[in-house]
Amino acid sequence: MIDISTDIKFLPGVGPKKAELLGNEAGIFTYEDLLYYFPYKYVDRSKFYSVRELNPNMPYVQVKGRLTSMKTVGAGRQARLTATFSDGTGTMELVWFKGHKYIKENLDASSEYIVFGKPSLFNGMINIVHPEMEKVDPTKSVIRSGLQAFYNTTEKMKKGYLNSRGMLKLMQNLFKLLQRDKIPETMPAELTTKLKLIHLNDALRAAHFPENHKQLEAAQFRLKFEELFYLQLNILRLMNLRKRSVKGHVFKVVGDNLNTFYKNNIPFELTGAQKRVIREIRQDMGSGKQMNRLLQGDVGSGKTLVALMVMLIAVDNSYQATLMAPTEILANQHFETISEMLKGLSVSIDLLTGSTKKSKRDELHARLQSGELNILIGTHALIEDTVKFHNLGLVIIDEQHRFGVAQRARLWKKNLHPPHVLVMTATPIPRTLAMTVYGDLDVSIIDELPPGRKPIKTVHYFHNRRNNLNRFLRSELEKGRQIYVVYPLIEESEKMDFKNLAEGFEYMQKAFPEYQTTMVHGKMRPAEKDDAMQEFVSGRSQILVSTTVIEVGVNVPNASVMVIESAERFGLSQLHQLRGRVGRGADQSFCILMTDYKMSEETRKRMSIMTQTTDGFEIAEADMKLRGPGDLEGTQQSGLPFSLHIASLSRDSQLLQYARKIAEDVLAGDPLLEKPENIMLKKQVARLTAKKMNWSMIS
Ligand code: ADP
Ligand code: MG
């Protein structure tokens, strides 16, 4: 019986050098790791082409024929080997730039070959560079069937003879060893039967050496399902475990503050969606269980008001509440709006950020510890160890996607008894990602914008339309509206970007001398930044030229135009966030995306999605498709706390939902996987958790 946890260096054909490469470059340390290193594509090798039909647009092809001549062209480093190859229907050229001495010596002009590679056109002739050559052995009838696997490899691997072909060779060696032993099944028989999953052993073999498409599909289905199933099973089991073991503060009082606020202070009627999520949250916080809830709502859907009312519930139940925002600008703004809305109520509220002075800080800490302070709003500064609460009952994290998992965990630990946690995010993430990254949280969704909002009109301009743009901006300014102009600021080209920003600022000042233009960027001191922001918020300045520091949360309902310069440098969700800064009042708002005339295909797609929809969920889905989930920009969790080997959160969303459903069914009868019949599931979950899925408690 072969132990698949054997060190990869013992595999025939590997040895210490390749073992090191495999480990460092591809994370392959054992036989098992290699088994789960899946191909990224398959090429059909059941079909032969004739040389005559080849054209340079074809992907990989194979032809059968003979070498008719061979010669070395050039000398030294420039030298290459070219051979003419014919199959009776036509002639093409085969070219080798590397290793040609060896190849020349080993090619045999008298035998028939199967040549495999990607055709291209050179000097009017079809050629294949570095083809794969296989001698046809007349003594064996070679029936080529099946799909050839292709593996991703890095430059370093390629240099160490581990290109796709090299990997395939290793795979062959491994499966030779596994010929007699079956890889043990990892799913219970009950499930494989019920769900018609093929045996793990067959699935792994077919994933690397499929005979046909049908077999490959069955293999992929089995392997993807298993991956997603265990992922969900683990998340859901942890959630059950937490719900059972952690008791929550019971907020059962509907008290004075909330009532007074609702009667006298609330600035507008709540939307139906706001009412619904407040109800869901209230139920949760009154249940005796500790709440861990995700509040999702598109930009401008009114999450702040929900946060405020939920904090009042905590205060009415004699607990403290805290609201953490990702930037100082946003924390300041929350503090201002919330203080304003709480006027006349006997709720004490304060602000703690990185720039809070020491003396103020000391005094604030004292009031916090004595319990005199009810609500604390702030930035990361809140999670410092010196910040201690009297009795923290509720933590709200705004724009959750900007924080890491660890930061959430630290707030959770702020109390002996964990507080209720509400995380809010305006970057709508695709359902499948939410199910996974936030898979152990309950979810509330605000799916309705406050009434009277007009959808933002989005247009895409090239730089040559700047005069039109200015005319339009002037007409908006004349109506009394305000304007954002945003420039990208990305680390590597920081200096250049700053120059663009500063020039943009001067340009706007010159173009609109009768209006006030203000500039904000990340390198300003917090107080400066705040003053500049305040200029714009108060309406003293009409044009704000800034970097993306205003990306999240900033709320100036009178601003009706968002101009995004060099829009090609922003990802979709960032563009959506920026656009969300306008359209917050009743006026028609506009977003203008400025780019160069020259654009990549991807940029073109992004611009077209932005002009076609304002629906954040649709944009998030499109974003995930364009960039892949591992790279959801602006999302700290983009570094998913686990890695998927074969399934894809964007492509396999239906399968993910199915897998989650099956996992739920299993857990419905056995929430913690304690029953003997589920022992295999439990073992497998534990094994996977230990191995690769390093997700700690998310909240
Ligand atoms: P986000 O969900 O992006 O955080 P905000 O909480 O900043 O959104 O709200 C966006 C704007 O909508 C703010 O100006 C806020 O005052 C306003 N708003 C919130 N709820 C309502 C409502 N029910 N009716 C009208 N306007 C609302
Ligand atoms: Mg907000």
Side-chain angles (χ1 to χ4, degrees), residues 268-271 274 299-304 450 453 555 557 584:
F268 19 63
E269 182 64 23
L270 292 173
T271 63
Q274 283 171 320
V299 279
S301 60
K303 292 184 294 297
T304 317
R453 295 275 172 83
N555 188 38
R584 307 189 141 243

Side-chain angles (χ1 to χ4, degrees), residues 249-317:
H249 307 290
V250 185
F251 292 177
K252 48 176 179 288
V253 186
V254 181
D256 292 347
N257 288 311
L258 187 67
N259 286 334
T260 315
F261 175 78
Y262 199 75
K263 250 201 285 172
N264 305 333
N265 291 40
I266 196 162
F268 19 63
E269 182 64 23
L270 292 173
T271 63
Q274 283 171 320
K275 281 186 192 152
R276 175 171 45 75
V277 303
I278 291 172
R279 208 178 317 126
E280 286 167 0
I281 294 167
R282 195 148 98 194
Q283 254 165 26
D284 234 10
M285 296 194 307
S287 71
K289 291 192 184 119
Q290 184 249 352
M291 173 174 78
N292 266 279
R293 191 169 277 277
L294 171 69
L295 176 59
Q296 254 187 299
D298 210 343
V299 279
S301 60
K303 292 184 294 297
T304 317
L305 186 55
V306 172
L308 168 58
M309 292 179 66
V310 172
M311 289 198 288
L312 288 179
I313 298 176
V315 174
D316 279 339
N317 283 274

Side-chain angles (χ1 to χ4, degrees), residues 214-280:
K214 200 166 159 238
Q215 198 193 49
L216 177 61
E217 266 163 38
Q220 286 178 327
F221 179 77
R222 143 86 214 211
L223 294 165
K224 285 178 180 186
F225 176 84
E226 172 168 3
E227 188 165 68
L228 296 171
F229 169 74
Y230 278 120
L231 179 66
Q232 291 300 325
L233 194 66
N234 187 50
I235 292 174
L236 293 168
R237 194 185 64 99
L238 282 179
M239 180 168 162
N240 287 344
L241 190 65
R242 192 192 58 219
K243 284 191 175 167
R244 264 145 208 268
S245 55
V246 182
K247 282 224 168 45
H249 307 290
V250 185
F251 292 177
K252 48 176 179 288
V253 186
V254 181
D256 292 347
N257 288 311
L258 187 67
N259 286 334
T260 315
F261 175 78
Y262 199 75
K263 250 201 285 172
N264 305 333
N265 291 40
I266 196 162
F268 19 63
E269 182 64 23
L270 292 173
T271 63
Q274 283 171 320
K275 281 186 192 152
R276 175 171 45 75
V277 303
I278 291 172
R279 208 178 317 126
E280 286 167 0

